[in-house]
Amino acid sequence: SRPPQGEAMNRETHHRTLMRACLIAGDEVTLASRLHVPLPSLVDWLLGEVPVPVEVFLRAVDIVIAANKETMADSKALLEQIRKRHRPD
């Protein structure tokens, strides 16, 4: 039997977030360490064989948000450098 549509959407969102966190971490071993979870469990979740627990999903969200903040800071710094080079006062 298939899960209800909302549950399926949550599963997909949780899985995509975990995958993004893995890309940010660099590999599944590093991500398992950062999430404080056993590697075999993480592999199950990454391969979509087992649903991602909510508490793990939330820790993965923290990793993604932190990386996004770094990216935004880098983008702002780059724009400021471009502005100084091309729009000096």
Side-chain angles (χ1 to χ4, degrees):
S1 71
R2 294 176 52 187
Q5 186 174 355
E7 187 180 322
M9 287 176 60
N10 280 347
R11 258 186 101 150
E12 183 181 340
T13 298
H14 292 184
H15 184 255
R16 283 195 333 248
T17 302
L18 193 64
M19 290 296 299
R20 179 77 180 116
C22 192
L23 287 167
I24 291 164
D27 61 42
E28 70 280 5
V29 175
T30 303
L31 181 60
S33 175
R34 289 183 67 179
L35 293 174
H36 308 290
V37 299
L39 182 59
S41 296
L42 178 60
V43 170
D44 289 344
W45 302 325
L46 287 169
L47 296 179
E49 296 171 353
V50 177
V52 179
V54 173
E55 61 275 9
V56 174
F57 163 70
L58 293 174
R59 289 196 299 261
V61 167
D62 287 341
I63 290 170
V64 172
I65 288 172
N68 286 345
K69 285 181 182 177
E70 289 176 20
T71 300
M72 289 301 298
D74 291 345
S75 296
K76 287 179 183 177
L78 174 62
L79 283 174
E80 189 56 35
Q81 291 171 5
I82 292 169
R83 188 173 289 114
K84 286 180 180 177
R85 285 194 294 267
H86 298 278
R87 302 287 188 268
D89 289 339

